[in-house]
Each structure stands twice: as C-alpha cells, then as structure tokens.
Amino acid sequence: MSKQHQRTRSDHASEIAEDYVEAIADFIADKDVCRSGDLVRHFNVTHATVNNTIARLERDGFVTTAPYQPIALTARGRRLATACRKRHETVEAFLLKIGVSPATAVIDSEGIEHHVSRETLDAMKRILSDGWPDEVAGGSRRGDGLH
Amino acid sequence: MSKQHQRTRSDHASEIAEDYVEAIADFIADKDVCRSGDLVRHFNVTHATVNNTIARLERDGFVTTAPYQPIALTARGRRLATACRKRHETVEAFLLKIGVSPATAVIDSEGIEHHVSRETLDAMKRILSDGWPDEVAGGSRRGDGLH
DNA sequence: TTCGAATGTTAGCCGAAGCTAAGAAGGATG
DNA sequence: CATCCTTCTTAGCTTCGGCTAACATTCGAA
Ligand SMILES: [Mn+2]
Ligand SMILES: [Mn+2]
Ligand SMILES: [Mn+2]
Ligand SMILES: [Mn+2]
C-alpha cells in the first residue's frame, strides 16, 4: 500500500523545478536570455516568489545567477529542460489524439506531465507513432486489423 | 499565459483532501469504520500528519470527528469521495487500455487523476466504452457527431 | 483489577511555495 | 549630471504538509 502516494509526493517536489527549467530554456531559445521578470509574467506569480524559487534552483545546481544578470541554465538544467519539454509535448499531443480540445490539452498536460512514468510515456509515444493498439478479444472490435 | 499553472496549483490544493476522503470512504465501505490508524498505514505517514490533515478536512466540512471516535464523512465528503473514486477508476482503466502494466497504472493514476478535467475524463470514458476513435486521414478527428 | 500495548492527541519543529512591503541598482531622458 | 521608472533584491509573514517527541486514553490480558 501507498507506494502510489509516495510517488505522487515526490513528483510534486520536483514539479516546480521542472516547469521552471522548461520555461527558462524556452525563453533562452526564443530571445537569447531569460530575466526573472519573464518568469514573473509567465507563471503569474510575484517577483519575490520567482526570486525564492530561482534560489532553490541554484542551490540544487540547475541554474546559475548573478545580481541583475540574466538566468543561465547549467548543463544539468539544460538536460532536465530538454527531457521535460519532450515529455510535456508527448502528453499534450496524446491528449489531442484522444479528442481533447487544444485549450484543454494545454491546461491538463501542464499538471499531468509530472506524474507520467517512463512506461506510460512510452505507451503514449507508441500510440502517437504506431496508431491504436489492437483490440484484444472481448473488446468492442471496431478498427479491424492494421493500418 | 499561465492559466495552466494556476490550474495546476489549485489542483494541488485539493489533491490531499480528495485522496483522504476517497480512502476514508473505502475503509467505511470495507469495514464500517475508519480510524486514523487506518489512514496512517494507508498513506504511510505519521499519526501527527494524519491528525493535522483530518483537522483541515473537518475545518473544510468534509468530515466530522470526536476524540477517540472513528472518522465520519459529511454528505459533502461522501459526494467528493464518490466523484473522486469514479474519476480515479476511469483514469486507471484508461491507462490499462493504452497498454500500461497494472502496477504502473496504479501508481501513475494516483497522481494523474487530480489533473484530469471533465473534458479529458469524458474523452477517456468514451474510448473505454466505444473503443478507439476512427482514424481519419490527416489526423485523429473522429468525425460523426456524438453517439 | 491493574497494567501494558495500541491507539489517539498535542506541542513544536521544518521546508516549500506563495504573499506584501520596502528599498537598492541601473538605464533612458531631460 | 540629475532624475525617474523599471527591474531586481531582501525582509518578514502565511499556509500546507511533512516530521519527532511527549503525553493521554482505551482496552484486552494477566
Ligand atoms: Mn507542468
Ligand atoms: Mn500533481
Ligand atoms: Mn485517488
Ligand atoms: Mn491521488
């Protein structure tokens, strides 16, 4: 019992870090630098909150900062950002694939992404690239064989 | 921007309440009463933590308690529990449907359930009951009006 | 009936993630 | 240069959800 809940709790601990490095990487890709004000607007939280969060990220080795300078990602931060962006994109694309509207897919994927294990992510990717799995006996039988 | 993040933050605020009322309802269904020790074992946290959490649930009108007595759900608590259990079951069943192993489905659904909107839940239910959407050239649109 | 184990409560601590309010640093414009 | 506005930092507060340690209550055995 309760392996689930421990996983959910630990997912939440890394969730903020994941969203921040992803956003920082996006700003850097987009306009070459990321300032804390960019994150204030992006996450819709206060300057003080961004400052505290960035301090934790620096403590944990994901970013480097200097007073009044842009925020830079460490190699570790870049690795995490890339992995998170891919995972996020997969989850969002999968929601669209099952018929969810674009607006809802954007919102739901933002929360869901952090709780998707490697195995579930692979299942989603497989469906996105190979199509729906074959229905096993007892199912409602609709798509017939392949394509 | 950031509508997503506000939703994710507010999902987290209700997440613990949802898991607790669901567990309490399960214990009551199973053995007629729920004692705080049941929750200690179920969530694998300490007595003190369960006590604090239950106090918040009572403050918010989901449960009633009396010293050394079992924990009882209010009507509001029962409503929430029922809705959460259904949603949880749907998410777990859907993960199985896309080919995730039972053990992983149990773990991932515990976190994912809290971030699944009504619309996404409906999409999952539709697939569980009607089978995969028709594949149509160019995308995943499922033509045909409803039903 | 007393006593010890199991169960429940309380007090006090911590870190994460939010906030407000105050002030410092820097840059554009006169 | 001085000024003013934007940007950034710092201090101090809150709630939540964890924890440990100490204490209280209940209840079944001896
Ligand atoms: Mn996210
Ligand atoms: Mn979550
Ligand atoms: Mn649940
Ligand atoms: Mn859950």
Side-chain angles (χ1 to χ4, degrees):
Chain A
M1 270 307 149
S2 131
K3 183 124 154 278
Q4 313 91 288
H5 298 290
Q6 279 166 265
R7 241 288 305 281
T8 302
R9 290 200 290 271
S10 90
D11 287 344
H12 286 157
S14 33
E15 181 160 331
I16 296 276
E18 293 179 354
D19 284 339
Y20 270 66
V21 294
E22 196 184 335
I24 293 167
D26 285 350
F27 279 115
I28 290 173
D30 211 57
K31 63 184 198 56
D32 252 49
V33 292
C34 177
R35 317 282 326 197
S36 71
D38 295 326
L39 300 172
V40 168
R41 285 177 293 273
H42 183 255
F43 290 112
N44 203 27
V45 293
T46 63
H47 267 102
T49 296
V50 166
N51 234 53
N52 288 338
T53 304
I54 294 297
R56 278 189 300 272
L57 291 183
E58 183 158 36
R59 179 200 62 188
D60 296 342
F62 294 116
V63 304
T64 56
T65 67
Y68 297 94
Q69 289 307 117
I71 297 157
L73 287 170
T74 62
R76 184 159 176 240
R78 267 190 302 274
R79 261 197 312 277
L80 182 61
T82 302
C84 289
R85 205 189 54 250
K86 274 195 201 136
R87 189 189 56 185
H88 196 155
E89 284 168 1
T90 300
V91 171
E92 188 174 337
F94 182 80
L95 290 178
L96 293 172
K97 175 94 178 172
I98 66 171
V100 170
S101 72
T104 300
V106 165
I107 293 177
D108 287 15
S109 67
E110 190 63 69
I112 291 174
E113 56 165 346
H114 308 283
H115 301 284
V116 166
S117 65
R118 182 60 203 263
E119 186 190 339
T120 298
L121 194 66
D122 285 345
M124 291 179 175
K125 280 198 267 201
R126 194 183 321 124
I127 288 174
L128 286 169
S129 65
D130 302 355
W132 306 113
D134 293 336
E135 306 239 14
V136 276
S140 58
R141 220 18 70 238
R142 91 185 264 128
D144 75 354
L146 30 150
H147 47 286
Chain B
M1 275 302 151
S2 135
K3 181 123 152 279
Q4 312 92 286
H5 299 290
Q6 280 167 266
R7 242 288 305 280
T8 302
R9 289 200 291 271
S10 89
D11 287 344
H12 286 159
S14 34
E15 183 160 330
I16 296 275
E18 293 179 352
D19 283 340
Y20 269 66
V21 294
E22 197 184 335
I24 293 166
D26 284 350
F27 279 115
I28 290 173
D30 212 55
K31 62 183 198 59
D32 250 51
V33 292
C34 176
R35 317 282 327 197
S36 71
D38 295 325
L39 300 172
V40 168
R41 285 177 293 274
H42 183 254
F43 289 112
N44 203 26
V45 293
T46 63
H47 269 103
T49 296
V50 166
N51 234 53
N52 287 339
T53 305
I54 294 297
R56 279 191 297 272
L57 292 184
E58 183 158 34
R59 180 201 62 188
D60 296 341
F62 294 116
V63 305
T64 56
T65 66
Y68 297 94
Q69 288 309 116
I71 297 157
L73 287 170
T74 62
R76 185 158 176 240
R78 268 189 301 274
R79 261 198 311 278
L80 183 61
T82 303
C84 289
R85 205 188 54 249
K86 276 198 200 133
R87 189 190 56 186
H88 195 156
E89 286 169 0
T90 299
V91 171
E92 188 175 338
F94 181 80
L95 290 179
L96 293 172
K97 176 93 177 173
I98 66 172
V100 170
S101 72
T104 299
V106 165
I107 293 177
D108 286 16
S109 67
E110 190 64 71
I112 291 174
E113 56 166 346
H114 308 282
H115 301 284
V116 165
S117 65
R118 183 60 202 263
E119 185 189 340
T120 298
L121 194 66
D122 285 344
M124 291 179 176
K125 280 198 268 202
R126 193 188 318 129
I127 288 174
L128 286 169
S129 65
D130 300 356
W132 306 113
D134 294 333
E135 305 236 21
V136 170
S140 55
R141 253 321 355 100
R142 51 173 260 115
D144 84 62
L146 19 155
H147 318 0

